[in-house]
Amino acid sequence: MNYINVLTIAGSDSGGGAGIQADLKTFSALGCFGTSVITAVTAQNTMGVKSVHGIPPEFISDQLQAVLEDIPPVAIKIGMINRAEVVAVIEMALNHYAQEVPVILDPVMVATSGHKLIAPDTVTQLIDKLFPLVTLVTPNIDEAIILTEQPINNLDDMVTAGRKIIGKGAKAVLVKGGHLAGPIIYDVLIAGNELPVILESAFIASKNLHGTGCTLSSAIAAEMGKGNDLLRAIKNAKKYIAAALQEGSQVTTGAGNGPLNHFFNPLKLIIQ
């Protein structure tokens, strides 16, 4: 018998709402066992990021080897990578990992507070080295603008940006539209040469949005780890996010952007 092991490779959020902390909470809430490789440590709270300390690449490599050789994941989520040398370490690990597993890449570049979290040269490395290796890339509007160098003001722009990201080597992309104002939130999924799939969800009024992107990508990884195909995993993850947002919308945590309620209805750890 085994748990459903899902690995997150990401940065630590001392405020507990995003990054590694949000990923592990999400995995647990969805019935999966989470393991982690920490790429950076941030000093942050609900008001913003105060500083970022990168973990040495050789220690990131040690973490990856330790987890992959002993607790093999059935799905992987990649979050904050703020240096080009870390991209190289992750690329090598993915290339040498024997199992074919879904990998969800959330190209974390800008925090909810607006703080930039990635060095400019790392963006190019991210595209060249990791896009071809992963199952899905999940940029929000701000990140899609950085990746495509085009303005995004509406749904048509999102589709155009998604196609450009596919053109840069991604197998599939989910452009998240939560940063565009309106009563309906649109996300755009493009997989290879297939027609875009437009996913709609109702706008939820809340200032507690910290870690939304981390949580969504982690939920997709967890759902794929449970055996769902890409589209079903995204739909299930979006339902989870909507409920976590709604259930956490009236809770005060800190003076700024608070977290979601990850454990509004947690599952027991699934044993297979």
Side-chain angles (χ1 to χ4, degrees):
M1 297 187 296
N2 299 100
Y3 295 125
I4 298 173
N5 302 318
V6 185
L7 167 65
T8 170
I9 305 169
S12 170
D13 171 10
S14 56
I20 288 284
Q21 287 80 355
D23 298 341
L24 293 177
K25 290 173 185 177
T26 302
F27 297 159
S28 295
L30 295 175
C32 299
F33 180 80
T35 56
S36 63
V37 169
I38 299 176
T39 59
V41 178
T42 66
Q44 66 175 297
N45 53 28
T46 63
M47 301 298 290
V49 179
K50 298 182 181 295
S51 60
V52 178
H53 173 71
I55 302 298
E58 59 271 19
F59 187 66
I60 295 173
S61 179
D62 287 347
Q63 292 179 77
L64 279 163
Q65 182 178 354
V67 173
L68 294 177
E69 71 183 11
D70 186 51
I71 315 170
V74 295
I76 299 172
K77 175 264 174 78
I78 302 174
M80 178 182 173
I81 305 174
N82 64 335
R83 290 157 295 152
E85 56 267 34
V86 178
V87 175
V89 168
I90 295 172
E91 178 198 22
M92 182 176 296
L94 291 181
N95 277 325
H96 284 83
Y97 186 49
Q99 300 189 37
E100 288 288 332
V101 302
V103 181
I104 312 303
L105 172 61
D106 184 21
V108 179
M109 298 177 183
V110 183
T112 303
S113 60
H115 187 102
K116 288 190 175 181
L117 298 171
I118 189 169
D121 64 322
T122 308
V123 176
T124 300
Q125 293 296 310
L126 205 65
I127 293 169
D128 293 345
K129 295 183 179 297
L130 293 188
F131 274 26
L133 297 180
V134 304
T135 307
L136 177 71
V137 183
T138 64
N140 62 27
I141 294 294
D142 294 338
E143 292 154 356
I145 289 171
I146 293 172
L147 290 170
T148 62
E149 300 180 329
Q150 71 158 65
I152 301 177
N153 298 307
N154 51 47
L155 183 57
D156 288 340
D157 290 343
M158 292 173 65
V159 172
T160 301
R163 292 197 185 284
K164 285 186 178 180
I165 292 170
I166 292 293
K168 291 178 180 288
K171 298 172 185 174
V173 59
L174 180 70
V175 182
K176 302 173 295 187
H179 290 191
L180 293 181
I184 302 295
I185 302 299
Y186 297 100
D187 296 331
V188 176
L189 171 65
I190 302 178
N193 295 320
E194 297 178 15
L195 292 174
V197 177
I198 310 301
L199 302 164
E200 299 183 7
S201 53
F203 172 77
I204 297 172
S206 175
K207 75 169 187 175
N208 296 329
L209 304 172
H210 184 51
T212 305
C214 302
T215 300
L216 178 63
S217 55
S218 297
I220 295 170
E223 290 296 325
M224 292 198 77
K226 289 192 281 188
N228 292 297
D229 63 26
L230 180 60
L231 182 57
R232 175 48 55 191
I234 291 171
K235 289 181 175 179
N236 288 353
K238 282 174 62 64
K239 289 180 181 177
Y240 169 74
I241 282 283
L245 277 168
Q246 187 65 59
E247 294 294 332
S249 63
Q250 302 303 313
V251 182
T252 299
T253 305
N257 297 299
L260 316 184
N261 182 346
H262 291 89
F263 294 110
F264 66 89
N265 186 27
L267 299 178
K268 291 182 180 181
L269 272 177
I270 299 168
I271 299 175
Q272 296 181 329

